[in-house]
Amino acid sequence: MASPFRIMTVCTGNICRSPMAEVVLKARLAEAGLGDAVEVWSTGVSSEEHGNPIDRRASAVLREAGYTVPRRSARRVTAADLGSADLVLAMTAGHARRLRDLTDRPVVHLYREFDPAAPAVDGLDEHLLDIDDPWYGGMDDFRTTLAQVEAGAGGVVAAAREALARR
């Protein structure tokens, strides 16, 4: 069996946005029959939440939407992560800049680049594709984040399928 296509999602502390994207992508890839061919994991650009579980509000919103939420611990992105990922999906332009400072591989993209309804932007306007941090908000903010993640999931699945077909 060929090695899996590897996708990493990245946010700040790895307790809200990136694990939400990880959960959604794993579910969508499984639904598309690609669960065994694509590996998904998440990290953060900061170590401030290292070892903490997914935020309870993020977990609640995911479960409310029908997703299974695994036990997991937050961790900071490493050079090895960036070296082994085929696709790195940053939640904000700021995260993407930090990741691009760590690698010269052309694998870093904004998650919302895969959302067909997202605005078309050039490098100067990348922040328009940011997935807002729900941390300081309420449950509706987490629902908005989930909606943004779900909106891009189909495009990510399609990109993974295309990449696998080229192998």
Side-chain angles (χ1 to χ4, degrees), residues 3-7 37-40 86-87 156 159-160 163-164 167:
S3 62
F5 185 76
R6 302 188 79 219
I7 300 172
V38 181
E39 180 181 336
V40 182
D86 296 301
L87 178 61
V156 175
L164 288 165
R167 287 185 168 182

Side-chain angles (χ1 to χ4, degrees), residues 2-95:
S3 62
F5 185 76
R6 302 188 79 219
I7 300 172
M8 179 174 58
T9 61
V10 184
C11 68
T12 303
N14 190 219
I15 61 168
C16 296
R17 293 169 286 183
S18 61
M20 290 174 81
E22 175 186 353
V23 167
V24 169
L25 289 175
K26 283 181 177 179
R28 295 288 178 85
L29 288 158
E31 290 169 7
L34 298 174
D36 292 334
V38 181
E39 180 181 336
V40 182
W41 77 102
S42 65
T43 62
V45 296
S46 167
S47 60
E48 66 190 83
E49 298 289 348
H50 181 81
N52 288 336
I54 188 171
D55 182 277
R56 63 179 170 68
R57 299 163 296 176
S59 182
V61 165
L62 285 164
R63 285 190 179 98
E64 176 184 280
Y67 294 99
T68 300
V69 182
R71 287 182 175 225
R72 56 171 311 285
S73 297
R75 69 181 189 82
R76 186 176 187 176
V77 65
T78 66
D81 290 322
L82 289 167
S84 67
D86 296 301
L87 178 61
V88 178
L89 300 171
M91 297 296 123
T92 70
H95 299 139

Side-chain angles (χ1 to χ4, degrees), residues 55-135:
D55 182 277
R56 63 179 170 68
R57 299 163 296 176
S59 182
V61 165
L62 285 164
R63 285 190 179 98
E64 176 184 280
Y67 294 99
T68 300
V69 182
R71 287 182 175 225
R72 56 171 311 285
S73 297
R75 69 181 189 82
R76 186 176 187 176
V77 65
T78 66
D81 290 322
L82 289 167
S84 67
D86 296 301
L87 178 61
V88 178
L89 300 171
M91 297 296 123
T92 70
H95 299 139
R97 277 191 300 279
R98 290 177 73 176
L99 294 164
R100 288 174 184 137
D101 285 346
L102 299 173
T103 185
D104 58 357
R105 295 180 62 230
V107 297
V108 178
H109 296 271
L110 289 170
Y111 187 96
R112 288 196 64 216
E113 287 177 39
F114 296 88
D115 176 352
V121 300
D122 63 27
L124 299 175
D125 295 330
E126 273 191 328
H127 69 280
L128 294 175
L129 296 178
D130 287 358
I131 292 179
D132 293 332
D133 190 351
W135 172 256

